[in-house]
Each structure stands twice: as structure tokens, then as C-alpha cells.
Amino acid sequence: MRVTRLAEHVDLIDVETAGFENLIASYVLTGKSIAIIETGPTSSVPNLFAGLDRLGVNLDSVAYVAVSHVHLDHGGGVGTLLGKLPEAKVIVHERGAAHLVNPEKLWQQSKEVLGELADLYGRPEPVPPARIVAAQDGMTFDLGKNVRLRVVETLGHASHHQSYFETFGDGVFPGDAAGIYVKEFDAIVPTTPAPFRLDAALVALDRLESLKPKALYYTHFGEASDPVRRLRTYADQLRLWARVAQEGIRKRQSLQEVRREIIESDEQIRKIAKFIEANPVLSETVLNNSVQGFMQFAEKFGNVQS
Ligand SMILES: [Zn+2]
């Protein structure tokens, strides 16, 4: 577990899920009270607590735990975490709330989609309904000392996805709405598993861009420079993938063929292709699922690009 101070009011805890560094970040936003943004999965909650301890966080002062969506790598740990946070409410999109209260269906689906990775993440524990804030776009939570956290609905990656904007440093916590940031290569890998919605994802990126963020805090992984340009580049990358997927569907290509075409035509992916191939989570899970998300979208909706 590693802790990094990114701003006077923002700290990053690398929760090192299953021993993987630089995979999942949890953020601590500090005003008078504290919000934790993204929890990581159940299995790494002990590391998250170790990080909070390292930061000297008084657990009674945690007012909110905010998750971008209920996928296990973002919100899986929230039920376990709450056991030791007596004052905290959970902020989640209103369409995600039921999955936190009763995570059984989510767990079964995660096992189907993620296979062994789901076991590495661990089974989520339920959250008592009274502790959930079923959030809507624009809701704002005041932490004191001019630190506020605002909900920004950002659908596309999931139908219950939201990002967060903190108004003290104009920082965005995109969740999965802005792809996966690989710092070593300064590259972004799309995270667009089915049922991905390209149309909604592009709207979401416009919304985040319009906030003119000065900081961008990726769950996967870390702070990225040049937020506005990066969000725009990601939108272009999604449009490129959509064109390739659309063409692949027309030619009746397989997932692996479309994947190959994407690697060839997307410069960002090409420059980290070897790194992706060497990393089973990125290669087997993220990249395959992301390509499949585009292919399903293209099959169902055709080309919606303007
Ligand atoms: Zn997700």
C-alpha cells in the first residue's frame, strides 16, 4: 500500500488489489470532514484502511464514500468499508443503489464476465439502505473549508455511472468515464465493456470537458496531466474504435480480428501493445471486453457518429 499526496486536500491510496500496484486508486478528499472516492474491491479493503491510517484519518470524520459505479473494482469494497466508518454515507447513482443493498446478482454477473478475477476481487458485502444516498446529477456535498464534491452523471461505461468534481482544486474523478490511464506510457486504454453506449460516453466526455478541470484523478490509475486535452483525445479514440468496429461488423470479422485492426489503427494502443499483451488483466479482460463492447454497440445501433 502506497500513499501519495497530490494536492493539499487530495491524497491517493494505491490499494494494491491482489498485489497489483498502479491498478486501483482510492482517493481521500479532505475538508473539515472527509470523502473517500472509490473503494476498490472487498479483497483490498485492509490495504485501504492501512492507507487511511498512514494518512492519520480519523475514521469518525469520514462523512462520505463516493463510488463512480458498482463494478467490483470501484465499489465492491464499500459494504466492508462501512463497517468501520460509523458516520459515512455512500454516494452512488440512483440506478446502482439496489446492487449495493443486495449484491448477489452483481456478484454472479461479475463471475461470468470476469472469471477468476472476480475471486481475486472478492464477494461484495451488502450496504444497509439507510446509509445510501441515491444520487442524481448535480447533487453537491459540502465537506467544509471550501471543499465540495459534486456529482456529474457520466453514462456510457455503465448505465449507472457518475463522475465527481471537487470544486476547491477543480479536480475531476472520472471513474471509468475517461478510460484507463497508463502513466508509464502516457497512454489511455478504453474501458468499454458491453453494454457500452458510445453516444452516452461521448456526451459524458463533453460534460467533463466543460468543467474545465485542472486535475484529473483516474481510478485506473493516478493523476494525469493536461485534463482537457486528455478528455478530448479519449473522445477521438472512442470515435476511431467505433469506426473500426463498424467496419469489422460489416466484414463479419471476429473479435480477435477487430482487436487486431484496432491495435494497428490506434497509435496509443500500438505503442503499448507489448505492455498490454504482457498483462493478463489488460489483455484478456480489459481489451477483449472493450472491443466486444464496441462490436455489440455497432451491431445494435449502427454508426451513431456525427
Ligand atoms: Zn466499470
Side-chain angles (χ1 to χ4, degrees), residues 69 71 157 176:
H69 61 308
H71 291 167
H157 173 84
D176 272 342

Side-chain angles (χ1 to χ4, degrees), residues 169-270:
D170 292 341
V172 159
F173 301 88
D176 272 342
I180 290 173
Y181 174 53
V182 185
K183 191 170 224 133
E184 260 185 280
F185 297 89
D186 195 37
I188 304 282
V189 181
T191 173
T192 55
F196 170 64
R197 289 295 302 252
L198 174 66
D199 46 352
L202 293 173
V203 170
L205 286 164
D206 270 348
R207 300 198 71 199
L208 293 179
E209 194 190 317
S210 72
L211 298 168
K212 299 191 171 56
K214 296 195 181 90
L216 192 52
Y217 302 116
Y218 279 92
T219 310
H220 316 290
F221 178 94
E223 184 180 8
S225 61
D226 216 346
V228 171
R229 181 190 58 84
R230 204 170 291 280
L231 294 168
R232 251 180 232 157
T233 305
Y234 187 54
D236 289 341
Q237 189 179 28
L238 295 185
R239 290 189 190 95
L240 169 68
W241 280 43
R243 282 195 295 277
V244 176
Q246 179 75 18
E247 185 64 11
I249 295 295
R250 201 181 58 75
K251 293 189 199 154
R252 301 183 186 282
Q253 287 177 326
S254 67
L255 188 146
Q256 288 309 319
E257 286 167 324
V258 173
R259 173 183 160 130
R260 238 185 335 266
E261 297 276 353
I262 282 175
I263 292 174
E264 270 168 35
S265 49
D266 182 344
E267 193 191 330
Q268 286 204 72
I269 298 297
R270 214 168 52 228

Side-chain angles (χ1 to χ4, degrees), residues 30-101:
T30 305
K32 206 164 166 310
S33 60
I34 284 173
I36 296 171
I37 299 151
E38 307 280 57
T39 66
T42 308
S43 64
S44 47
V45 168
N47 294 347
L48 178 51
F49 276 118
L52 294 171
D53 188 49
R54 174 87 57 90
L55 290 169
V57 168
N58 171 2
L59 298 183
D60 294 345
S61 67
V62 178
Y64 301 105
V65 177
V67 297
S68 61
H69 61 308
V70 304
H71 291 167
L72 299 186
D73 49 334
H74 295 258
V78 71
T80 310
L81 190 64
L82 276 190
K84 288 187 189 163
L85 302 176
E87 303 299 328
K89 296 259 194 227
V90 177
I91 306 171
V92 63
H93 190 285
E94 55 185 350
R95 280 195 289 274
H99 293 288
L100 296 188
V101 174

